[in-house]
Amino acid sequence: ITQNIDDLHERAGSKNVLHLHGEAKKLVSETDSSYIVEMQSWEQTKDMVDAHGRMLRPFIVWFGEAVPNIVPAIELCEQADIMIVIGTSLNVYPAAGLLSYAKSSCVKYLVDPKEPNTSLKGIEFIKEKASVGVKIVVDDIISKYI
């Protein structure tokens, strides 16, 4: 699950990425949310229209809009045995609330150089940048669970 709207996870080789806030390289019809077009470049042109000739909008969630992928994200969190949260202040909702959907037996990690502004219980906090903290988490998981 990512809050990022770019395609960096996919370019890095990640599979099954759930984009919580949409994808910047896709466009969607304002009137038919199933009409989604993937752009070949990062530039939207005037000829990019839906089946009715109406201009498409970026396939992203703007502030104040509903987050359509929140339900699939919650379902993934409810199934997780291990949850790793990387690079977030845990201040942007509804994404910040996803940790609360993990089952009590779920092992939870948070990797971020800044302490979150929340009281987290049952979570291992790694106060590091992702480039350092992810290795610490992986080593910890291998030593304890594999």
Side-chain angles (χ1 to χ4, degrees):
I1 302 167
T2 182
Q3 293 185 84
N4 297 337
I5 59 170
D6 56 36
D7 63 346
L8 294 178
H9 286 290
E10 289 83 357
R11 286 193 279 160
S14 297
K15 305 285 187 238
N16 301 320
V17 178
L18 178 66
H19 287 269
L20 195 59
H21 294 141
E23 299 175 67
K25 281 192 82 175
K26 291 183 178 179
L27 301 171
V28 64
S29 170
E30 290 266 6
T31 57
D32 178 4
S33 62
S34 67
Y35 189 90
I36 300 170
V37 176
E38 185 149 355
M39 296 189 298
Q40 299 307 309
S41 72
W42 285 99
E43 188 172 326
Q44 182 177 0
T45 60
K46 289 181 182 180
D47 63 330
M48 295 176 174
V49 295
D50 67 14
H52 303 287
R54 289 186 283 263
M55 199 83 180
L56 301 172
R57 64 167 268 180
F59 185 60
I60 59 174
V61 175
W62 301 106
F63 283 104
E65 290 183 331
V67 179
N69 275 340
I70 194 66
V71 171
I74 288 169
E75 291 168 354
L76 288 171
C77 293
E78 289 172 337
Q79 297 170 24
D81 295 317
I82 299 175
M83 193 168 179
I84 306 168
V85 179
I86 303 168
T88 181
S89 63
L90 293 176
N91 287 324
V92 178
Y93 283 83
L98 288 173
L99 275 168
S100 65
Y101 289 96
K103 55 192 169 199
S104 60
S105 62
C106 179
V107 178
K108 299 177 234 36
Y109 294 90
L110 172 62
V111 178
D112 197 82
K114 297 180 220 126
E115 292 221 23
N117 294 332
T118 183
S119 61
L120 297 173
K121 293 185 171 115
I123 187 164
E124 178 83 24
F125 177 57
I126 312 294
K127 191 174 180 177
E128 293 286 352
K129 299 183 298 184
S131 58
V132 174
V134 170
K135 182 176 181 348
I136 293 169
V137 170
V138 169
D139 290 345
D140 192 59
I141 291 170
I142 290 170
S143 72
K144 290 179 180 174
Y145 306 104
I146 297 178

